[in-house]
Amino acid sequence: MQAGRDGFLGRAAGDPALWADFWTLCDCGGRLAGTASEARAMDWAAARLAAIPGGALRRDPTPYAGWRCNEARLENAATGRALACAPLVGTAFVDGLELEVLDLGRGAPEDVARAGAAVAGKAVMVRHEFPFASWTIHRRKKLQEAEAAGAAAFLIVQPEPGVGPVSGSSGRAGGKGIPSLGLSAEAGACLRDGSRVRITIAGEDFPRAMANALLLELPGRGPGRVVLSAHVDGHPLGESALDNATGVVAALALARAVAPVVAGLPRGLTVALFSAEEWALAGSKAWLTGLAEAERRAMAFNLNLDSLCGSPRVTALTSDFPALGPFLRDAARGAGFDLGVHLPLMTNSDHANFATHGIPATRLVAGFDEPMSGLRFLLTGADTRVLVAPGELKAATLLAATLLWEALTAEEEVMAGLATR
Ligand SMILES: [Zn+2]
């Protein structure tokens, strides 16, 4: 087994295609689900998976609430000046609606509560936060609270000057919702309490849209599986390079590295490349729900790779499975890595849907609790390949490989113990 491990880790760390794959995926563009950019990336990823010897590739359709925006415009109603903005994915549409701005600062639930009746009918303005920290209040939480309090529109301001507006999911999924826009720091600085804005968001809903999950099955000796997942889709503003070209190309490298030996390992590997992750995790949710109970029960562990670079420090988000942290940290330490662990469930990537089904699930993410790391550029036009250094991508891939090997080869009792909550 030791020789198998060394060979596997050597192939993963030395994968000659890792960096070229990363560039190719970034070349596809931001990969918003439902666009030509995403279709190109999914076709490319399918071809890369199909080229792995010994695997069986399939595409499972995953329905989601599709949406397309043709125009998003925010103007200072007094001056007619256009302000830099981006529609939140799936936002409600509106035609030239004029509203008064109410600045709620951070936009925490207590800020909304304090404003009381003043929220009703206003364009509520809040601040975007660094997404990977224990203290983060998620954008959708702020949006939900503002909408519930009667806000007529939602404006979320990106704090970093010079990188344009911020994107993100509205979570509306074809429902009623309110018009929701991400703003640049500069646009936010032009608005204050009492400012009047005019909002136009034009586009279409596609209630029966279909994304795909790409599945590569690499059978092991026994019936158990480890699911290695990453989402291919992204946002239109940059190249979705950190989030999540890094995770996708690492998953491909791991699949290539394990293919020659997996048939002799206790568990098989399922590689799952999802789309519509940026749509409130719709792709993996539909896929998991559509499986037979026995298929889900065969899943011993989900390792979800999402945003692996931007800082050399990588953290495992262990989804309220207490035994997962020590299991992964020990495996990482054995290979010389200091892995961070964050136990509470964070519903910020596809691992959350596995956890919901009781499957021990972890997201690996770089830069957790490091607000000044490159991860602060996620969801903006600055998430491009220049944020990623080759050595950092290689190291993160090797760390992921180390954890994957442990999950593929650990004793049955150890794996069963991971599922305890
Ligand atoms: Zn992501």
Side-chain angles (χ1 to χ4, degrees), residues 88-89 107 109 126-128 136-148 154 156 167-173 180 235 277-282 346-349 352 379:
L88 296 193
V89 170
V126 307
R127 301 306 177 286
H128 174 75
T136 301
I137 301 175
H138 196 276
R139 163 190 64 258
R140 282 199 298 278
K141 174 84 178 154
K142 297 180 179 186
L143 172 51
Q144 280 161 10
E145 297 280 334
E147 188 179 348
F154 180 76
I156 185 160
S167 183
S169 163
S170 71
R172 181 176 70 103
S180 307
H235 283 275
E277 188 270 356
E278 302 286 5
W279 305 62
L281 318 179
M346 294 195 86
T347 56
N348 56 16
S349 188
L379 307 176

XYZ file of all heavy atoms in Angstrom, residues 88-89 107 109 126-128 136-148 154 156 167-173 180 235 277-282 346-349 352 379:
333
model
N -27.222 40.425 -9.328
C -27.016 39.168 -8.617
C -27.701 38.074 -9.438
O -28.766 38.296 -10.017
C -27.601 39.224 -7.204
C -26.956 40.229 -6.245
C -27.410 39.954 -4.806
C -25.419 40.219 -6.314
N -27.079 36.907 -9.493
C -27.578 35.822 -10.339
C -29.007 35.458 -9.938
O -29.283 35.190 -8.766
C -26.657 34.589 -10.223
C -27.293 33.379 -10.892
C -25.313 34.889 -10.851
N -25.539 45.717 7.192
C -26.734 44.998 6.739
C -26.980 43.727 7.520
O -27.614 42.793 7.024
N -28.754 41.365 10.447
C -30.163 41.316 10.847
C -30.539 42.400 11.859
O -31.612 42.985 11.769
C -30.302 39.915 11.454
C -29.282 39.099 10.734
C -28.131 40.027 10.474
N -26.279 47.605 1.548
C -25.496 46.904 2.573
C -24.092 46.647 2.032
O -23.797 46.948 0.881
C -26.167 45.564 2.973
C -27.619 45.773 3.376
C -26.073 44.546 1.850
N -23.232 46.062 2.864
C -21.842 45.812 2.471
C -21.583 44.320 2.260
O -22.005 43.492 3.066
C -20.865 46.347 3.536
C -21.005 47.855 3.803
C -20.906 48.663 2.531
N -21.082 50.099 2.611
C -22.234 50.755 2.791
N -23.351 50.097 3.030
N -22.269 52.065 2.753
N -20.848 44.022 1.192
C -20.374 42.665 0.924
C -19.252 42.338 1.913
O -18.457 43.195 2.258
C -19.846 42.608 -0.517
C -19.191 41.312 -0.896
N -19.919 40.174 -1.162
C -17.889 40.975 -1.062
C -19.071 39.196 -1.470
N -17.849 39.652 -1.424
N -18.625 35.716 9.189
C -19.298 36.219 7.982
C -20.815 36.108 8.064
O -21.342 35.088 8.485
C -18.839 35.404 6.751
O -17.445 35.537 6.628
C -19.517 35.887 5.480
N -21.503 37.174 7.639
C -22.945 37.084 7.402
C -23.129 37.018 5.886
O -22.737 37.930 5.162
C -23.718 38.280 7.980
C -23.487 38.366 9.486
C -25.211 38.152 7.673
C -24.119 39.593 10.127
N -23.717 35.913 5.419
C -23.816 35.654 3.986
C -24.749 36.658 3.307
O -25.746 37.090 3.891
C -24.334 34.227 3.763
C -24.113 33.720 2.370
N -24.983 33.996 1.350
C -23.124 32.972 1.839
C -24.549 33.422 0.238
N -23.414 32.799 0.511
N -24.399 36.979 2.080
C -25.199 37.900 1.259
C -26.682 37.525 1.228
O -27.563 38.377 1.369
C -24.630 37.869 -0.178
C -25.511 38.428 -1.271
C -24.939 38.117 -2.641
N -24.894 36.691 -2.927
C -23.827 35.910 -2.865
N -22.667 36.423 -2.564
N -23.901 34.624 -3.112
N -26.973 36.224 1.044
C -28.383 35.826 0.904
C -29.156 36.031 2.204
O -30.341 36.309 2.193
C -28.495 34.371 0.414
C -28.243 34.241 -1.077
C -28.794 32.939 -1.627
N -28.175 31.772 -1.030
C -27.005 31.266 -1.425
N -26.346 31.808 -2.425
N -26.499 30.213 -0.849
N -28.472 35.907 3.334
C -29.090 36.172 4.633
C -29.513 37.647 4.705
O -30.633 37.970 5.105
C -28.078 35.830 5.740
C -28.509 36.180 7.137
C -29.379 35.104 7.728
C -29.779 35.437 9.147
N -31.049 34.790 9.508
N -28.606 38.535 4.288
C -28.907 39.974 4.313
C -30.061 40.295 3.378
O -30.947 41.089 3.713
C -27.665 40.774 3.905
C -26.489 40.604 4.847
C -25.284 41.409 4.391
C -24.129 41.232 5.376
N -22.988 42.080 5.071
N -30.017 39.667 2.208
C -31.075 39.900 1.212
C -32.425 39.417 1.740
O -33.437 40.127 1.640
C -30.690 39.188 -0.096
C -31.714 39.125 -1.226
C -32.297 40.490 -1.544
C -31.076 38.536 -2.480
N -32.437 38.234 2.324
C -33.690 37.675 2.869
C -34.275 38.580 3.947
O -35.473 38.854 3.967
C -33.446 36.281 3.460
C -33.386 35.177 2.425
C -32.694 33.915 2.967
O -32.424 33.812 4.158
N -32.405 32.967 2.076
N -33.404 39.056 4.846
C -33.876 39.906 5.943
C -34.446 41.218 5.406
O -35.494 41.682 5.858
C -32.728 40.207 6.919
C -32.162 38.994 7.628
C -33.006 38.549 8.815
O -33.712 39.389 9.391
O -32.950 37.348 9.157
N -33.731 41.813 4.443
C -34.182 43.090 3.882
C -35.511 42.906 3.150
O -36.431 43.719 3.285
C -33.117 43.650 2.938
N -35.601 41.813 2.390
C -36.830 41.548 1.630
C -38.004 41.311 2.587
O -39.105 41.842 2.382
C -36.619 40.342 0.709
C -37.775 40.122 -0.241
C -37.557 38.944 -1.184
O -36.415 38.426 -1.266
O -38.536 38.535 -1.836
N -37.751 40.535 3.639
C -38.809 40.243 4.610
C -39.296 41.518 5.301
O -40.446 41.621 5.704
C -38.309 39.233 5.647
N -32.336 45.688 -3.417
C -31.201 45.324 -2.568
C -29.915 45.686 -3.301
O -29.691 45.240 -4.426
C -31.269 43.823 -2.288
C -30.168 43.266 -1.417
C -30.180 43.473 -0.054
C -29.144 42.500 -1.971
C -29.181 42.933 0.763
C -28.147 41.956 -1.170
C -28.171 42.173 0.207
N -25.740 45.680 -2.824
C -24.652 45.193 -1.957
C -23.328 45.699 -2.520
O -23.022 45.502 -3.698
C -24.707 43.659 -1.774
C -23.653 43.194 -0.767
C -24.611 42.893 -3.081
C -23.938 41.822 -0.159
N -20.509 40.134 -7.746
C -21.647 39.316 -8.170
C -22.044 38.397 -7.010
O -21.686 38.653 -5.861
C -21.246 38.507 -9.408
O -22.330 37.771 -9.890
N -22.771 37.331 -7.308
C -23.230 36.415 -6.267
C -24.639 36.003 -6.589
O -25.291 36.605 -7.441
N -25.124 34.970 -5.909
C -26.466 34.477 -6.192
C -27.501 35.244 -5.376
O -27.259 35.599 -4.224
C -26.545 32.992 -5.849
O -27.890 32.590 -5.742
N -28.662 35.480 -5.992
C -29.764 36.104 -5.260
C -30.585 35.058 -4.520
O -31.345 35.383 -3.612
C -30.679 36.853 -6.226
O -31.402 35.935 -7.027
N -30.459 33.790 -4.953
C -31.234 32.724 -4.326
C -32.720 32.778 -4.680
O -33.511 32.039 -4.105
N -33.105 33.611 -5.646
C -34.537 33.780 -5.954
C -35.130 32.527 -6.575
O -36.286 32.180 -6.317
C -34.725 34.970 -6.904
C -36.200 35.240 -7.272
C -36.343 36.473 -8.135
N -35.807 36.286 -9.473
C -36.556 36.079 -10.568
N -37.866 36.041 -10.494
N -35.979 35.928 -11.738
N -34.345 31.847 -7.442
C -34.776 30.588 -8.072
C -36.145 30.709 -8.730
O -37.008 29.853 -8.557
C -34.759 29.450 -7.051
N -31.958 43.010 -7.287
C -30.761 42.917 -6.445
C -29.517 43.131 -7.287
O -29.311 42.432 -8.276
C -30.701 41.538 -5.774
O -31.909 41.268 -5.093
N -18.944 32.906 -12.305
C -19.626 34.188 -12.502
C -19.018 34.902 -13.701
O -17.866 34.681 -14.052
C -19.515 35.031 -11.237
C -20.450 34.575 -10.172
N -21.752 34.991 -10.118
C -20.289 33.687 -9.166
C -22.356 34.401 -9.110
N -21.487 33.596 -8.505
N -23.589 25.461 -9.364
C -23.240 25.586 -7.944
C -23.486 27.020 -7.492
O -23.971 27.267 -6.382
C -21.764 25.216 -7.721
C -21.345 25.118 -6.250
C -20.839 26.417 -5.657
O -20.718 27.434 -6.398
O -20.571 26.455 -4.453
N -23.172 27.954 -8.392
C -23.325 29.377 -8.045
C -24.793 29.798 -7.991
O -25.103 30.953 -7.787
C -22.561 30.251 -9.043
C -21.058 29.941 -9.147
C -20.241 30.427 -7.952
O -20.844 30.928 -6.988
O -19.012 30.273 -7.984
N -25.698 28.870 -8.211
C -27.133 29.107 -8.152
C -27.662 28.461 -6.876
O -28.501 27.554 -6.910
C -27.831 28.543 -9.397
C -27.251 29.089 -10.671
C -25.968 28.936 -11.134
C -27.916 29.909 -11.649
N -25.797 29.603 -12.319
C -26.987 30.209 -12.666
C -29.223 30.409 -11.751
C -27.307 30.989 -13.762
C -29.540 31.174 -12.858
C -28.590 31.472 -13.854
N -27.125 28.894 -5.765
C -27.514 28.354 -4.458
C -27.365 26.826 -4.426
O -28.218 26.120 -3.883
C -28.934 28.794 -4.088
N -26.284 26.327 -5.013
C -25.913 24.899 -4.949
C -26.934 23.989 -5.631
O -27.090 22.817 -5.262
C -25.684 24.439 -3.500
C -24.916 25.404 -2.586
C -24.782 24.815 -1.178
C -23.531 25.710 -3.148
N -27.619 24.506 -6.663
C -28.729 23.769 -7.276
C -28.282 22.481 -7.973
O -28.998 21.475 -7.942
C -29.465 24.669 -8.264
N -20.908 24.957 6.819
C -21.013 26.192 6.032
C -21.627 25.825 4.687
O -21.092 24.986 3.969
C -19.646 26.854 5.861
C -19.070 27.369 7.182
S -17.688 28.521 6.966
C -18.553 30.080 6.758
N -22.746 26.460 4.381
C -23.494 26.076 3.171
C -23.020 26.912 1.983
O -23.816 27.495 1.268
C -25.003 26.268 3.384
O -25.227 27.628 3.766
C -25.528 25.362 4.472
N -21.693 26.947 1.797
C -21.138 27.808 0.758
C -20.574 27.043 -0.425
O -19.918 27.630 -1.275
C -20.072 28.735 1.360
C -18.973 27.947 2.067
O -18.845 26.740 1.862
N -18.183 28.618 2.883
N -20.816 25.737 -0.507
C -20.413 24.980 -1.699
C -21.109 23.615 -1.662
O -21.879 23.319 -0.742
C -18.887 24.831 -1.762
O -18.509 24.257 -3.005
N -22.127 20.926 1.186
C -23.259 21.104 2.108
C -24.416 20.173 1.750
O -25.112 19.674 2.642
C -23.724 22.557 2.091
N -15.872 36.478 -6.801
C -17.136 37.061 -7.300
C -16.947 38.438 -7.929
O -17.921 39.130 -8.219
C -18.208 37.150 -6.200
C -18.540 35.875 -5.430
C -19.547 36.171 -4.324
C -19.105 34.813 -6.370
